[in-house]
Amino acid sequence: SLLGAMRSADILPWDYDVDVGIFRDDIERCPWLVRARSQPVVDNDGFVWELASEGDFFRVQFSRVNHLHVDIFPFYIRNGTMTKDTWFPSHKQDREFPKHFLQPMASIEFVGREVPAPNNIRDFLELKFGKGVIENPQYPDPKRLKFSAGDNVIIQTRN
């Protein structure tokens, strides 16, 4: 989601959710997350809060019918590194990072709001995705789809 915010202040065109990280200790500050530990709960606006079935993180869905969602990953510090309990080996960007990226926090515009972000966003994203990732958009599996940065269109290709 930070990559989309840096490129266009929006969700990446090929993405289907928003991923955010929080400090694990801050779970206690959100009653909905605390309640979602034991069972799914629907808040006053109809959002469904639950533990994700894929691991130790939370998912907030728009509704029980519309499964557009936000994944909330609880991070904690271990030996100066931010880590978490659930990893997705198929996502190369899903890896630990130095805690100095969060001290102090920065901010960035994302879908019309100013939101917290790691400091030195370019270095953070290049650590996660590789050099030039902001200027060189590429769909995660370029054999299946091609992303054209010039006109912001995803084009199906057949191989």
PDB file of all heavy atoms in Angstrom, residues 88-103:
ATOM      1  N   PHE A  88       4.698 -14.294   4.286  1.00  0.00           N
ATOM      2  CA  PHE A  88       4.233 -14.846   3.016  1.00  0.00           C
ATOM      3  C   PHE A  88       5.433 -15.015   2.097  1.00  0.00           C
ATOM      4  O   PHE A  88       5.831 -14.072   1.407  1.00  0.00           O
ATOM      5  CB  PHE A  88       3.173 -13.942   2.379  1.00  0.00           C
ATOM      6  CG  PHE A  88       1.942 -13.812   3.218  1.00  0.00           C
ATOM      7  CD1 PHE A  88       1.743 -12.698   4.029  1.00  0.00           C
ATOM      8  CD2 PHE A  88       0.992 -14.819   3.226  1.00  0.00           C
ATOM      9  CE1 PHE A  88       0.612 -12.596   4.815  1.00  0.00           C
ATOM     10  CE2 PHE A  88      -0.146 -14.718   4.014  1.00  0.00           C
ATOM     11  CZ  PHE A  88      -0.337 -13.601   4.808  1.00  0.00           C
ATOM     12  N   PRO A  89       6.030 -16.203   2.051  1.00  0.00           N
ATOM     13  CA  PRO A  89       7.245 -16.424   1.262  1.00  0.00           C
ATOM     14  C   PRO A  89       7.081 -16.082  -0.224  1.00  0.00           C
ATOM     15  O   PRO A  89       8.054 -15.745  -0.885  1.00  0.00           O
ATOM     16  CB  PRO A  89       7.519 -17.918   1.431  1.00  0.00           C
ATOM     17  CG  PRO A  89       6.795 -18.314   2.670  1.00  0.00           C
ATOM     18  CD  PRO A  89       5.608 -17.396   2.770  1.00  0.00           C
ATOM     19  N   SER A  90       5.877 -16.140  -0.737  1.00  0.00           N
ATOM     20  CA  SER A  90       5.663 -15.813  -2.153  1.00  0.00           C
ATOM     21  C   SER A  90       5.710 -14.307  -2.411  1.00  0.00           C
ATOM     22  O   SER A  90       5.734 -13.883  -3.559  1.00  0.00           O
ATOM     23  CB  SER A  90       4.321 -16.378  -2.622  1.00  0.00           C
ATOM     24  OG  SER A  90       3.270 -15.796  -1.886  1.00  0.00           O
ATOM     25  N   HIS A  91       5.734 -13.498  -1.364  1.00  0.00           N
ATOM     26  CA  HIS A  91       5.815 -12.036  -1.496  1.00  0.00           C
ATOM     27  C   HIS A  91       7.212 -11.590  -1.078  1.00  0.00           C
ATOM     28  O   HIS A  91       7.496 -11.489   0.114  1.00  0.00           O
ATOM     29  CB  HIS A  91       4.772 -11.354  -0.613  1.00  0.00           C
ATOM     30  CG  HIS A  91       3.361 -11.655  -0.974  1.00  0.00           C
ATOM     31  ND1 HIS A  91       2.795 -12.901  -0.841  1.00  0.00           N
ATOM     32  CD2 HIS A  91       2.389 -10.866  -1.480  1.00  0.00           C
ATOM     33  CE1 HIS A  91       1.542 -12.860  -1.232  1.00  0.00           C
ATOM     34  NE2 HIS A  91       1.267 -11.638  -1.627  1.00  0.00           N
ATOM     35  N   LYS A  92       8.079 -11.311  -2.045  1.00  0.00           N
ATOM     36  CA  LYS A  92       9.468 -10.992  -1.715  1.00  0.00           C
ATOM     37  C   LYS A  92       9.606  -9.763  -0.823  1.00  0.00           C
ATOM     38  O   LYS A  92      10.556  -9.640  -0.069  1.00  0.00           O
ATOM     39  CB  LYS A  92      10.306 -10.825  -2.980  1.00  0.00           C
ATOM     40  CG  LYS A  92       9.963  -9.613  -3.801  1.00  0.00           C
ATOM     41  CD  LYS A  92      10.869  -9.491  -5.006  1.00  0.00           C
ATOM     42  CE  LYS A  92      10.560  -8.194  -5.750  1.00  0.00           C
ATOM     43  NZ  LYS A  92      11.462  -7.950  -6.834  1.00  0.00           N
ATOM     44  N   GLN A  93       8.640  -8.846  -0.869  1.00  0.00           N
ATOM     45  CA  GLN A  93       8.707  -7.650  -0.045  1.00  0.00           C
ATOM     46  C   GLN A  93       8.331  -7.917   1.408  1.00  0.00           C
ATOM     47  O   GLN A  93       8.554  -7.085   2.275  1.00  0.00           O
ATOM     48  CB  GLN A  93       7.812  -6.548  -0.627  1.00  0.00           C
ATOM     49  CG  GLN A  93       6.332  -6.754  -0.409  1.00  0.00           C
ATOM     50  CD  GLN A  93       5.661  -7.671  -1.415  1.00  0.00           C
ATOM     51  OE1 GLN A  93       6.303  -8.345  -2.201  1.00  0.00           O
ATOM     52  NE2 GLN A  93       4.333  -7.701  -1.389  1.00  0.00           N
ATOM     53  N   ASP A  94       7.780  -9.068   1.692  1.00  0.00           N
ATOM     54  CA  ASP A  94       7.327  -9.406   3.033  1.00  0.00           C
ATOM     55  C   ASP A  94       8.506  -9.887   3.852  1.00  0.00           C
ATOM     56  O   ASP A  94       8.776 -11.082   3.930  1.00  0.00           O
ATOM     57  CB  ASP A  94       6.225 -10.469   2.965  1.00  0.00           C
ATOM     58  CG  ASP A  94       5.526 -10.660   4.300  1.00  0.00           C
ATOM     59  OD1 ASP A  94       5.522  -9.711   5.109  1.00  0.00           O
ATOM     60  OD2 ASP A  94       4.991 -11.750   4.532  1.00  0.00           O
ATOM     61  N   ARG A  95       9.218  -8.922   4.442  1.00  0.00           N
ATOM     62  CA  ARG A  95      10.402  -9.261   5.227  1.00  0.00           C
ATOM     63  C   ARG A  95      10.646  -8.240   6.322  1.00  0.00           C
ATOM     64  O   ARG A  95      10.079  -7.163   6.325  1.00  0.00           O
ATOM     65  CB  ARG A  95      11.598  -9.371   4.324  1.00  0.00           C
ATOM     66  CG  ARG A  95      11.849  -8.095   3.537  1.00  0.00           C
ATOM     67  CD  ARG A  95      13.225  -8.097   3.024  1.00  0.00           C
ATOM     68  NE  ARG A  95      13.390  -7.657   1.669  1.00  0.00           N
ATOM     69  CZ  ARG A  95      14.577  -7.637   1.111  1.00  0.00           C
ATOM     70  NH1 ARG A  95      15.608  -8.077   1.730  1.00  0.00           N
ATOM     71  NH2 ARG A  95      14.734  -7.156  -0.089  1.00  0.00           N
ATOM     72  N   GLU A  96      11.495  -8.621   7.250  1.00  0.00           N
ATOM     73  CA  GLU A  96      11.835  -7.749   8.366  1.00  0.00           C
ATOM     74  C   GLU A  96      12.529  -6.486   7.863  1.00  0.00           C
ATOM     75  O   GLU A  96      13.060  -6.457   6.760  1.00  0.00           O
ATOM     76  CB  GLU A  96      12.749  -8.494   9.344  1.00  0.00           C
ATOM     77  CG  GLU A  96      12.095  -9.698   9.976  1.00  0.00           C
ATOM     78  CD  GLU A  96      13.037 -10.509  10.850  1.00  0.00           C
ATOM     79  OE1 GLU A  96      14.248 -10.577  10.536  1.00  0.00           O
ATOM     80  OE2 GLU A  96      12.553 -11.066  11.840  1.00  0.00           O
ATOM     81  N   PHE A  97      12.527  -5.460   8.736  1.00  0.00           N
ATOM     82  CA  PHE A  97      13.223  -4.215   8.393  1.00  0.00           C
ATOM     83  C   PHE A  97      13.708  -3.544   9.674  1.00  0.00           C
ATOM     84  O   PHE A  97      13.164  -3.776  10.757  1.00  0.00           O
ATOM     85  CB  PHE A  97      12.297  -3.286   7.586  1.00  0.00           C
ATOM     86  CG  PHE A  97      11.019  -2.915   8.283  1.00  0.00           C
ATOM     87  CD1 PHE A  97      10.938  -1.775   9.076  1.00  0.00           C
ATOM     88  CD2 PHE A  97       9.887  -3.708   8.158  1.00  0.00           C
ATOM     89  CE1 PHE A  97       9.764  -1.429   9.715  1.00  0.00           C
ATOM     90  CE2 PHE A  97       8.698  -3.371   8.783  1.00  0.00           C
ATOM     91  CZ  PHE A  97       8.637  -2.234   9.569  1.00  0.00           C
ATOM     92  N   PRO A  98      14.745  -2.704   9.561  1.00  0.00           N
ATOM     93  CA  PRO A  98      15.283  -2.024  10.747  1.00  0.00           C
ATOM     94  C   PRO A  98      14.253  -1.089  11.380  1.00  0.00           C
ATOM     95  O   PRO A  98      13.522  -0.384  10.677  1.00  0.00           O
ATOM     96  CB  PRO A  98      16.469  -1.224  10.199  1.00  0.00           C
ATOM     97  CG  PRO A  98      16.805  -1.858   8.894  1.00  0.00           C
ATOM     98  CD  PRO A  98      15.517  -2.417   8.359  1.00  0.00           C
ATOM     99  N   LYS A  99      14.218  -1.066  12.714  1.00  0.00           N
ATOM    100  CA  LYS A  99      13.231  -0.246  13.423  1.00  0.00           C
ATOM    101  C   LYS A  99      13.447   1.247  13.206  1.00  0.00           C
ATOM    102  O   LYS A  99      12.532   2.030  13.370  1.00  0.00           O
ATOM    103  CB  LYS A  99      13.204  -0.571  14.917  1.00  0.00           C
ATOM    104  CG  LYS A  99      14.399  -0.062  15.679  1.00  0.00           C
ATOM    105  CD  LYS A  99      14.247  -0.313  17.157  1.00  0.00           C
ATOM    106  CE  LYS A  99      15.428   0.286  17.895  1.00  0.00           C
ATOM    107  NZ  LYS A  99      15.316   0.148  19.321  1.00  0.00           N
ATOM    108  N   HIS A 100      14.652   1.647  12.757  1.00  0.00           N
ATOM    109  CA  HIS A 100      14.912   3.078  12.573  1.00  0.00           C
ATOM    110  C   HIS A 100      13.987   3.706  11.523  1.00  0.00           C
ATOM    111  O   HIS A 100      13.788   4.916  11.513  1.00  0.00           O
ATOM    112  CB  HIS A 100      16.384   3.346  12.238  1.00  0.00           C
ATOM    113  CG  HIS A 100      16.812   2.900  10.878  1.00  0.00           C
ATOM    114  ND1 HIS A 100      16.486   3.586   9.724  1.00  0.00           N
ATOM    115  CD2 HIS A 100      17.559   1.844  10.483  1.00  0.00           C
ATOM    116  CE1 HIS A 100      17.005   2.962   8.681  1.00  0.00           C
ATOM    117  NE2 HIS A 100      17.658   1.899   9.114  1.00  0.00           N
ATOM    118  N   PHE A 101      13.362   2.898  10.674  1.00  0.00           N
ATOM    119  CA  PHE A 101      12.411   3.438   9.701  1.00  0.00           C
ATOM    120  C   PHE A 101      11.136   3.946  10.374  1.00  0.00           C
ATOM    121  O   PHE A 101      10.348   4.657   9.744  1.00  0.00           O
ATOM    122  CB  PHE A 101      12.033   2.385   8.652  1.00  0.00           C
ATOM    123  CG  PHE A 101      13.071   2.207   7.581  1.00  0.00           C
ATOM    124  CD1 PHE A 101      13.832   1.061   7.520  1.00  0.00           C
ATOM    125  CD2 PHE A 101      13.293   3.195   6.623  1.00  0.00           C
ATOM    126  CE1 PHE A 101      14.780   0.883   6.532  1.00  0.00           C
ATOM    127  CE2 PHE A 101      14.244   3.038   5.626  1.00  0.00           C
ATOM    128  CZ  PHE A 101      14.995   1.878   5.581  1.00  0.00           C
ATOM    129  N   LEU A 102      10.921   3.593  11.632  1.00  0.00           N
ATOM    130  CA  LEU A 102       9.714   4.010  12.348  1.00  0.00           C
ATOM    131  C   LEU A 102       9.992   5.018  13.449  1.00  0.00           C
ATOM    132  O   LEU A 102       9.104   5.337  14.241  1.00  0.00           O
ATOM    133  CB  LEU A 102       9.010   2.777  12.928  1.00  0.00           C
ATOM    134  CG  LEU A 102       8.622   1.709  11.906  1.00  0.00           C
ATOM    135  CD1 LEU A 102       7.945   0.538  12.601  1.00  0.00           C
ATOM    136  CD2 LEU A 102       7.741   2.283  10.805  1.00  0.00           C
ATOM    137  N   GLN A 103      11.236   5.497  13.520  1.00  0.00           N
ATOM    138  CA  GLN A 103      11.598   6.450  14.571  1.00  0.00           C
ATOM    139  C   GLN A 103      12.393   7.594  13.964  1.00  0.00           C
ATOM    140  O   GLN A 103      13.588   7.416  13.720  1.00  0.00           O
ATOM    141  CB  GLN A 103      12.411   5.763  15.656  1.00  0.00           C
ATOM    142  CG  GLN A 103      11.656   4.672  16.348  1.00  0.00           C
ATOM    143  CD  GLN A 103      12.536   3.839  17.269  1.00  0.00           C
ATOM    144  OE1 GLN A 103      13.717   3.635  17.011  1.00  0.00           O
ATOM    145  NE2 GLN A 103      11.955   3.327  18.327  1.00  0.00           N
TER     146      GLN A 103
END
